[in-house]
Amino acid sequence: MKHVDEPGYSNDIDCYIRNGGYEDLKKAFAMKPEDICAEVMESGVRGRGGAGFPAGMKWKFLDRKSGKPIYLVCNADESEPGTFKDRQIIHQDPHQLIEGMICSAYAVGAKLAFIYIRGEFFEGYRILERAIEEARAKNFLGDNILGSDYSCDIIVHRGAGAYICGEETGLIESLEGNRANPRIKPPYFPAALGLYQCPTIVNNVETLCDVKHVVSMGGAEFAKIGTPGNTGTRTWCVSGHVMKPGFYEFACADLTLGELIYDVCGGLRPGRSLKAVIPGGSSAKVLRADERFTGKLKNGTAFDWGIGDIPMDFDSLMACGSMSGSGGVIVMDDSTDIVEALANINYFYAHESCGQCTPCREGVPWMRKITARMVAGEAREEDADLLNSIADQIAGRTICAFGEAASWPVQSFIAKFKDEFVEKAREQAARRKEGKDAAKETVLI
Amino acid sequence: MKLKPETTEKIDKLVPRYPVKRSAALPLCHLVQEDQGYLSNEAVEWIAERLELEPINIQELVTFYPMLRTEPTGKYHVRVCRTLPCALAGAYQTCRKLEEALDVAVGHTSEDGLATLEFVECHADCGKAPVVMVGEDEYTGIDVEKALEMAEKMKSGTLPTGLEVHTEA
């Protein structure tokens, strides 16, 4: 997003072209599709949606021999709490996404592509519709693009408020006109059996934009940004208790979590200290401010970090037992009631479970009910263990990763802050003894 | 069911773009809901017939996707984000203030039909929390004070309903 902060930069096609836009598309068309795929592989770019799976590898799995049409789908369902990067790209630089998509569609051999955009992005939808019309008018889209024999169209498809549509097979179900119940893998790997049972590539907005830059600079050059295995830039979305929340783009591992919070985001509110950080969207495991993180990185290097020392990249956060996920960094200061924060998160996941798998459909609402009861004045000392036992029975027992997404917050909040869950019950008992209302007024639920 | 001519035109243009008709189900739900304000049984049946599906195929979408609704909203459709980043910025207080100022309980429409107030999940603009949507318009950084101002403007009819823009586009 190098241009978006420049004065006068607008999201129309003329401005985009004035700044070198669609030159990479011309470059892509001078290349063979398989060469673009090879460059993407060499770039090492990893999916920006949450899982961090290498995009080149995902493309390599594509079944090109089936004889069926191939589809490209852009996942713009951005709904992981704490994440708002795709919104910025769509609003401020939609043509970058469209150019990245056409390059990608050409590379994977798709003649029809979709942008699945979350329903709440009303304005984003209109911006994309207009941008696609502009691109079509200039023959960057449509039949025989730029005089080549390659034709491609993009359909913008609106979701309708369901978080599970961000899961790629759920998204495909939704795109087919069904409830977004995720599909079981195997056999339904989208690269083989995706949309309409055809080979399909589903990539995040930011990932598809990266493809444009891979075409522009070549895979080897792209791989020089960041560190080996953590290439390119990432847009960190910072929310919660910092002075300057917002989105900030940096090369992977270019800064630490501490630098992001204190230097970039202006630190915490006056008089407050850091309590916890959820580093990759609300599903990511929480980090406690006073923890020490020790271990060995993938490359064998030993590390010993405080929370502020953690380099912001895929592998470092994973080595600390969490993940960079979708890049949503939620910061909580010492005013935060941890049980309330978990109660809030549980409410979200209970609301968003698609209801297909029993452990998730039943278990996640149980977790919500328990934390709701705890903040309502009926906390019990054994609740932490009870919550954990439910979470342990959900994770790994569902069709899609939602089971983990809903369990990890519970497991990590309890692992890191068990004392506060127990204290909640004791505190309420003491208040009751004094004849006071056991429940305190809540802030987060 | 009588749809506006521009809705019919949009639908007729949209359906053939999809390789499989059924894919147009969710977009059609949106278009008909925007046209009618909500999805009645009649609307569900109409969409099903248009796509050569059974009404249940549409009904199951209406009951699954939170943005689809079976009842009309008030003049103002107010959606306050409830999720953690907004809550850390005071979304619960914002929502309680709106309840009080608009005299409506969350999840309901005020008796005078002025506003429907909903507490919904993440709008993906967490850097500007708390986020409130009115119709299709987004308002950011809505603390208790600003919530009160918004409520006053709704009462005096000076706040856009957030549906005007869409009609123009």
Side-chain angles (χ1 to χ4, degrees):
Chain A
M1 283 200 275
K2 71 172 177 183
H3 291 305
V4 300
D5 290 333
E6 291 167 11
Y9 191 81
S10 54
N11 63 13
D12 58 282
I13 198 163
D14 293 329
C15 179
Y16 187 67
I17 290 173
R18 273 202 305 280
N19 285 278
Y22 289 106
E23 287 303 317
D24 298 322
L25 182 65
K26 291 173 193 160
K27 192 172 170 194
F29 277 16
M31 294 166 74
K32 284 189 195 146
E34 54 267 35
D35 293 340
I36 301 177
C37 294
E39 295 291 338
V40 171
M41 184 67 108
E42 195 179 358
S43 75
V45 62
R46 292 167 70 167
R48 265 52 174 163
F53 192 77
M57 194 73 84
K58 202 175 202 179
W59 288 16
K60 208 173 178 181
F61 291 148
L62 189 68
D63 180 359
R64 292 170 181 274
K65 294 186 186 132
S66 69
K68 296 187 229 173
I70 293 167
Y71 297 106
L72 174 74
V73 181
C74 169
N75 185 345
D77 192 52
E78 181 154 72
S79 40
E80 179 68 29
T83 318
F84 44 97
K85 63 192 177 63
D86 300 342
R87 169 194 282 272
Q88 318 304 334
I89 296 170
I90 290 165
H91 277 235
Q92 303 186 46
D93 213 8
H95 283 287
Q96 181 179 173
L97 170 61
I98 293 168
E99 186 175 12
M101 280 187 76
I102 310 166
C103 291
S104 305
Y106 171 73
V108 303
K111 297 205 162 118
L112 184 59
F114 297 86
I115 301 176
Y116 189 102
I117 184 170
R118 58 176 301 173
E120 294 87 343
F121 283 0
F122 295 103
E123 197 187 341
Y125 169 69
R126 288 192 286 270
I127 290 169
L128 283 173
E129 285 273 277
R130 194 201 64 207
I132 283 169
E133 280 312 313
E134 288 175 338
R136 195 177 284 129
K138 294 214 185 286
N139 193 222
F140 296 133
L141 264 178
D143 293 335
N144 303 99
I145 298 173
L146 300 172
S148 70
D149 56 5
Y150 176 69
S151 304
C152 182
D153 196 13
I154 298 179
I155 297 177
V156 190
H157 189 97
R158 295 159 66 192
Y163 168 77
I164 197 63
C165 294
E167 199 280 341
E168 61 179 6
T169 61
L171 185 155
I172 287 170
E173 280 290 325
S174 181
L175 198 45
E176 289 186 3
N178 304 321
R179 287 181 162 206
N181 294 336
R183 296 173 177 172
I184 197 156
K185 298 188 270 189
Y188 296 107
F189 288 108
L193 293 171
L195 184 62
Y196 312 128
Q197 301 301 320
C198 296
T200 304
I201 293 292
V202 185
N203 283 139
N204 175 259
V205 170
E206 203 183 353
T207 315
L208 289 165
C209 290
D210 284 336
V211 172
K212 176 202 129 74
H213 298 290
V214 170
V215 169
S216 173
M217 60 178 75
E221 274 304 303
F222 187 95
K224 287 182 190 162
I225 308 170
T227 57
N230 299 268
T231 61
T233 66
R234 289 209 66 173
T235 305
W236 305 110
C237 307
V238 188
S239 65
H241 295 146
V242 290
M243 294 302 285
K244 290 189 287 179
F247 61 100
Y248 305 96
E249 186 180 15
F250 286 93
C252 282
D254 211 22
L255 82 175
T256 62
L257 182 54
E259 286 164 346
L260 181 65
I261 293 173
Y262 292 100
D263 302 341
V264 178
C265 295
L268 306 169
R269 299 176 295 179
R272 289 290 170 195
S273 60
L274 188 65
K275 183 166 192 175
V277 179
I278 303 174
S282 69
S283 312
K285 291 189 174 179
V286 69
L287 307 172
R288 186 174 165 138
D290 56 4
E291 265 184 277
R292 282 314 289 183
F293 303 93
T294 55
K296 267 188 183 165
L297 292 174
K298 265 192 201 164
N299 62 13
T301 320
F303 65 87
D304 179 6
W305 293 322
I307 194 167
D309 309 323
I310 305 172
M312 292 301 284
D313 65 55
F314 293 94
D315 291 336
S316 302
L317 281 160
M318 208 178 280
C320 293
S322 187
M323 62 174 179
S324 59
S326 56
V329 180
I330 306 171
V331 179
M332 292 177 270
D333 70 21
D334 58 346
S335 70
T336 312
D337 182 311
I338 277 300
V339 182
E340 282 186 27
L342 184 63
N344 182 294
I345 293 174
N346 284 349
Y347 191 103
F348 175 83
Y349 290 102
H351 184 264
E352 300 298 339
S353 172
C354 83
Q356 187 176 208
C357 311
T358 310
C360 177
R361 181 186 64 239
E362 302 298 325
V364 182
W366 288 351
M367 298 195 296
R368 177 190 71 75
K369 281 181 193 163
I370 293 165
T371 42
R373 168 171 57 68
M374 289 184 79
V375 296
E378 299 290 329
R380 300 172 199 151
E381 285 189 32
E382 64 274 21
D383 279 337
D385 295 329
L386 179 59
L387 281 165
N388 244 342
S389 79
I390 299 169
D392 291 347
Q393 293 176 76
I394 300 170
R397 290 178 164 85
T398 55
I399 285 174
C400 80
F402 186 102
E404 283 76 28
S407 304
W408 286 343
V410 172
Q411 292 165 333
S412 64
F413 270 67
I414 290 169
K416 310 276 173 89
F417 296 98
K418 189 167 182 184
D419 47 337
E420 296 200 23
F421 286 79
V422 176
E423 184 53 32
K424 180 70 86 185
R426 291 188 183 148
E427 194 188 285
Q428 288 174 355
R431 288 166 69 89
R432 210 171 285 121
K433 227 174 192 175
E434 288 169 27
K436 289 185 196 155
D437 190 357
K440 283 197 298 192
E441 198 185 336
T442 55
V443 179
L444 302 177
I445 190 75
Chain B
M1 193 178 61
K2 192 120 182 78
L3 293 170
K4 296 180 186 113
E6 57 267 34
T7 307
T8 317
E9 195 188 319
K10 277 184 196 165
I11 291 172
D12 291 343
K13 245 165 87 178
L14 189 82
V15 176
R17 291 188 72 194
Y18 287 96
V20 175
K21 253 186 189 178
R22 188 171 184 156
S23 278
L26 203 48
L28 254 61
C29 286
H30 274 300
L31 288 170
V32 173
Q33 178 166 285
E34 279 153 17
D35 185 290
Q36 306 275 300
Y38 68 105
L39 294 166
S40 61
N41 285 338
E42 194 193 357
V44 167
E45 283 167 20
W46 187 91
I47 296 167
E49 200 181 323
R50 179 70 180 77
L51 297 176
E52 295 173 68
L53 298 168
E54 297 305 320
I56 184 64
N57 303 137
I58 303 303
Q59 193 62 41
E60 67 176 6
L61 304 184
V62 175
T63 52
F64 184 87
Y65 292 95
M67 285 179 72
L68 304 180
R69 51 183 184 265
T70 53
E71 282 172 16
T73 64
K75 179 183 170 192
Y76 292 102
H77 183 197
V78 185
R79 282 177 274 209
V80 183
C81 174
R82 189 210 64 81
T83 318
L84 186 60
C86 274
L88 289 169
Y92 272 83
Q93 291 77 350
T94 297
C95 196
R96 282 172 200 146
K97 183 52 81 180
L98 285 169
E99 274 191 304
E100 183 192 305
L102 295 167
D103 193 22
V104 58
V106 158
H108 293 85
T109 302
S110 58
E111 271 178 33
D112 56 6
L114 181 70
T116 300
L117 182 63
E118 284 184 75
F119 217 11
V120 301
E121 301 305 332
C122 192
H123 282 138
D125 210 357
C126 325
K128 298 176 183 167
V131 177
V132 175
M133 291 192 72
V134 177
E136 298 186 2
D137 293 346
E138 190 201 23
Y139 296 84
T140 56
I142 304 303
D143 55 17
V144 170
E145 216 168 280
K146 286 187 187 150
L148 200 56
E149 279 171 33
M150 282 177 75
E152 290 308 321
K153 283 187 185 165
M154 285 183 230
K155 286 188 202 161
S156 64
T158 50
L159 194 83
T161 61
L163 301 171
E164 303 86 348
V165 188
H166 192 81
T167 328
E168 282 161 26

